[in-house]
Amino acid sequence: MGASDFSKLPHIGESVLRKEDYRFLTGAGQYTDDVQLPNLSHAIFVRSPHAHAKLKHVDTSQALACPGVLQVFTGQDVAGDKINGLPCGWLITSTDGQPMKEPPHPILALDRVRYVGDHVAMVIAETLEQARDAAEKVQVDYEVLDAVVDVAAVRDLSQKHPTLHEQAPDNHCYHWAIGDKAQVDTAFSKAAHITRLDLINNRLVPNAMEPRAAVGSYSRASDEYTLYVSNQNPHVERLLLTAFVMGLPEHKVRVIAPDVGGGFGSKIYLYAEDVCLTWASKKINRNIKWTADRNEAFLSDAHGRDHVSHAELAMDAEGNFLALRVKTDANMGAYLSTFSTAVPTILYATLLAGQYKTPQVYVEVDAWFTNTAPVDAYRGAGRPEATYLLERLVSRAAWETGRTQDEIRKRNFITQFPYQTPVALQYDTGDFHACMNESEKKADVAGFEDRKAASKAQGKLRGIGYSSYIEACGIAPSNIAGALGARAGLFECGEIRVHPTGSVTVFTGSHSHGQGHETTFAQVVAARLGMAVDQIDVVHGDTGRVPFGMGTYGSRSISVGGAAIMKALDKIESKAKKIAAHLLEASDVDIEFSNGEFRVKGTDKMVTFAQVALTAYVPHNYPLDKLEPGLNETAFYDPTNFTFPAGTYIAEVEVDPQTGVVHLDRFTAVDDFGTIINPMIVEGQIHGGLVQGIGQALLERCVYDSQSGQLLTGSFMDYAMPRADDFPHFEIGHVCTPCTHNPLGTKGCGEAGAIGSPPAVMNAVLDALSPLGVKDLDMPATPHRVWRAIESAKV
C-alpha cells in the first residue's frame, strides 16, 4: 500500500481522543516510583559538592552503623566486581583520522569527581528516610582542584586549564569537519557581501514532569535481573547495560519502562543510577528503588545545547547565497553521555544547509570536556542548534543588505526535489514557499506596520521575526549510521498479534512518554484492518514482551516504528487473504481486502476479517497443508533515508525599552509533516515544542559559577521555567508533501516546535530593537539582558 492510498483510509486524519488518557486522568497510570515490590529497600546517592576534586578517602563506617542500613557501596566496590563504566554510543573520528578521546565514566567515582553531583557512594536502607540520614554520615575527604566550566574558556589553549582526564590532557575530545573547505573559501573570495555572526546556544536543563527513577530487582531462583526505569528506549538500555557494562547475557535481564512522564531526550541514556541499582540488587539480594528529587535532577540529568559558534554567509550582489562556513565549539560536560558526540556533528552540521540552495557549506566542530554535568540530546538534538545559527544569520544578512526577512528566504529556497545538500543529506520532498506563504497569511504580516505604529504610540517597540527550519527525523539507515559512528542499528520492530475474536494487540519497539502512541498506532492498524480503534491495544516499553526496538527519540516513532507496524500488517493481510481464499473457494490473487472485508473480485462473495481471524485459530476448515494456524506476524523496518519535516514560523514581540521586558504577542507556526495521522495529537506536540523553544529564547539558561563550578541555577527558584501566561494563542497551520520513502507518507513532528521557535523569537526581538542600534543579543532575552543591550547601544 502506498502513502497516497494510506492517507485516504478511515481513521487517518481524525482527531481520535487519546486512549491512554483515561488511566492518566483517573490516577491509574503506573510510573516507576509507583512500582512496589516485596522487600523493597531504598537508595540514596552521595554526590560530590565540588566540581573537581581528588577522592582521598571515603569513610562509610558511620553510615553502615545507622539504623536500617543494608549496605553502602563506593567506587572501589564496583571496581572489585569489574563493572565497566558507562559507554558512549557514537564514535566520532577526528579529521586527523584518530578516534575521539573517550575517557572512562565510572558509575561510582574512583579517583576523583569531575562535576557537582558526580556519584561518590550509594547508601541502601530499609526506608528512604533511613537512607537519607545515613548518606549524611558518609565522610569524604576531598582535595579540591581548580575547575573549568565554560567552553569559551576551555577552548583557549593559550591559557592553562585544569585537566579533567589524562586521556585528554588539553580537555579536547575531537575535531570534526564536513564539507569542501577549498570550494567554500573560493566562493567567499568572490562574494559581494559577507555576513558574520557570533552566538551562543545556551545550556538547558530538561525538567521532565516525572523525575528519573529506577527499581532494581534480582531473582536468585532464575538468576535474572529486572530493571524498572523511566526511560525512552528500554531495549537500548538493556543492550548497553548487559553487553557493555555488566557483561550479562541479555536474556537474563528484563528492562521495563512503564508510564513515563516526559523525556525530551534526557531519558534516552543509560545512567549510572540504573547500573548501580541493577548490580546492587544481586549483591544484597533485595529490591532497590531510587527516585531523583528535583534538585538532584538539576545536578545529574544530562543537560542540553551549550554551543559557542562563529558563522559567515557569502552572497552575491542579488542576495543569492554562495557559501556558508561555521566554526562551533561544543561543551560535552565532564563525561561522554550515550549520544552526546553525535549531537554537535552528525545531527547538527548536516542540517546547516537548511531550506536553502547554498552551493557550498563547510563546518568545523571541536568538542571539549568541562567540569559540568554531561551534555546530550535535548528535544531536537542538534537540529535546534543548527536552525538557530542559520536562521539568525539569514535574518541578519537580510537586514545588512536592505532586504526583508521573507524576501531573502524566498530568493534562496530550494524548489527542486530530490535535492542533494553539500553536507551529506538528500531531501526527498518539500514545498518551502507554500509554508512561508501560509505562515505569512496566518500571521497577518500585511497588518504588521499598523500594529507596530500602535505599539509605538504606547511607547513600545514591536518586531517581527522569521524562521524557516528543516530537520532530519528518524535518524538514518543503519548502514549509513554505522559508517557515521553509530554503535547500534537504528531500525524498529513491530508485531501484530490478531486474536481469535478479531481484536488485535500491537507490540512496538517505539516508546511512548506523552506522545499518544497508544492512540496513533491503533489508528494505523484500525485503518488497515477496517476495525474500530477500541479493538486494538498497543504494548511498548517492556523487553520481556516486545521482540526488540530502538525506542523513541529523533521524532522517529510514526515514520520508523509505524512503518515496521505497516510491514507486519502487510504480512497479516497476505496470510489472511490465503485463509479467506480457502473459505471462499477462490485463488488468493483474486481476493481484495478493504474496510475489514475480503471479497472475490467481481463478485459479492465475502468474509469478514473477524471470520478469518477465528478460522486461523479454530482451523476446522483450513488449508493446513499450506498454512500454519494462527495470525501473528513480526516485521523490522530500517529506514532508507531521514524524513524532512519543514516549516516557517513567525513571531511578533513587543518590547518595553524602559524595562527591557519582552512580551510575545503573536506566534504562527506552519509545518509540513507529510501525512498526519491524528491532528489533535500533532497540535499538542507542536504546542509543547513551541513552549520549550520559546522558553529557551526568553527565559531558560543553565549557569555554573566560573570559579567554583557550582550550579547556580539548581532549582526552580533560580532556573526560569516558562508559565502559561508567558505565551499568546498559537496560530497553527499545515502544508502536506508526503514523505516518498515510507509507507505512511509521514514525517516527524515531535521536535519541530523546539527547533523553529528560538530564532523566530530572537529575530523578532532584534527587529524591535534595531531602531535603537542593537544588532546582537544572545538567548535568553531576559529583561536585564535586553535593557543592558539598549543602554550599551546608547554609548
Side-chain angles (χ1 to χ4, degrees), residues 238-355:
R238 182 180 68 171
L239 175 65
L240 297 174
L241 178 70
T242 56
F244 293 92
V245 182
M246 294 185 67
L248 299 170
E250 271 189 281
H251 72 284
K252 289 294 186 179
V253 179
R254 180 180 182 184
V255 176
I256 301 173
D259 291 324
V260 173
F264 313 120
S266 69
K267 294 178 183 175
I268 298 174
Y269 327 117
L270 176 66
Y271 282 96
E273 295 89 354
D274 310 343
V275 181
C276 285
L277 267 66
T278 305
W279 166 73
S281 66
K282 180 177 182 179
K283 297 288 287 185
I284 68 170
N285 196 30
R286 289 285 296 269
N287 301 316
I288 313 168
K289 178 186 287 187
W290 167 80
T291 301
D293 63 33
R294 187 59 67 179
N295 288 358
E296 193 174 20
F298 268 96
L299 291 173
S300 62
D301 288 2
H303 294 167
R305 316 292 190 241
D306 208 344
H307 287 187
V308 175
S309 298
H310 174 77
E312 299 179 345
L313 179 64
M315 294 173 285
D316 66 17
E318 285 72 43
N320 297 303
F321 299 166
L322 300 177
L324 171 71
R325 58 188 175 201
V326 175
K327 173 65 174 70
T328 291
D329 290 281
N331 193 342
M332 295 286 99
Y335 302 99
L336 296 181
S337 181
T338 307
F339 295 113
S340 58
T341 51
V343 175
T345 52
I346 306 304
L347 300 178
Y348 164 71
T350 56
L351 269 297
L352 282 167
Q355 297 188 14

Side-chain angles (χ1 to χ4, degrees), residues 433-445:
H433 280 92
C435 287
M436 171 73 80
N437 294 338
E438 182 67 12
S439 190
E440 290 192 308
K441 178 183 175 182
K442 285 185 171 294
D444 185 24
V445 172

Side-chain angles (χ1 to χ4, degrees), residues 94 101 157 167-175 365-369:
S94 290
K101 307 296 195 306
L157 297 180
Q167 295 84 354
D170 56 0
N171 298 316
H172 188 243
C173 182
Y174 59 76
H175 175 78
V365 177
D366 283 287
W368 304 90
F369 295 109

Side-chain angles (χ1 to χ4, degrees), residues 501-667:
T501 57
S503 61
V504 173
T505 300
V506 180
F507 297 85
T508 175
S510 296
H511 185 276
S512 182
H513 38 279
Q515 297 92 335
H517 292 173
E518 292 174 39
T519 303
T520 305
F521 287 168
Q523 286 180 251
V524 170
V525 176
R528 279 292 304 272
L529 300 183
M531 60 177 58
V533 172
D534 288 344
Q535 289 182 275
I536 298 155
D537 283 333
V538 176
V539 174
H540 59 90
D542 186 343
T543 64
R545 300 183 67 187
V546 177
F548 200 80
M550 300 306 294
T552 294
Y553 46 87
S555 298
R556 71 189 298 270
S557 293
I558 193 64
S559 298
V560 184
I565 290 169
M566 286 285 281
K567 287 188 68 175
L569 286 166
D570 289 341
K571 295 180 179 180
I572 291 288
E573 183 177 326
S574 177
K575 183 175 181 179
K577 281 182 174 179
K578 291 180 172 64
I579 299 171
H582 179 80
L583 295 175
L584 294 169
E585 299 179 334
S587 169
D588 60 297
V589 298
D590 293 325
I591 300 297
E592 296 177 325
F593 178 62
S594 65
N595 297 320
E597 296 177 344
F598 297 90
R599 291 182 179 274
V600 180
K601 294 177 185 177
T603 75
D604 60 356
K605 295 176 64 177
M606 59 81 68
V607 292
T608 66
F609 182 80
Q611 289 175 277
V612 169
L614 183 61
T615 301
Y617 289 96
V618 187
H620 297 162
N621 180 17
Y622 196 82
L624 287 170
D625 57 327
K626 298 179 181 179
L627 295 175
E628 296 177 350
L631 198 52
N632 183 15
E633 298 287 351
T634 300
F636 289 78
Y637 175 74
D638 202 346
T640 58
N641 194 3
F642 294 90
T643 69
F644 296 99
T648 289
Y649 292 177
I650 299 177
E652 229 175 276
V653 302
E654 196 175 57
V655 180
D656 184 340
Q658 301 301 315
T659 63
V661 171
V662 176
H663 169 65
L664 181 61
D665 188 55
R666 303 161 73 95
F667 198 98

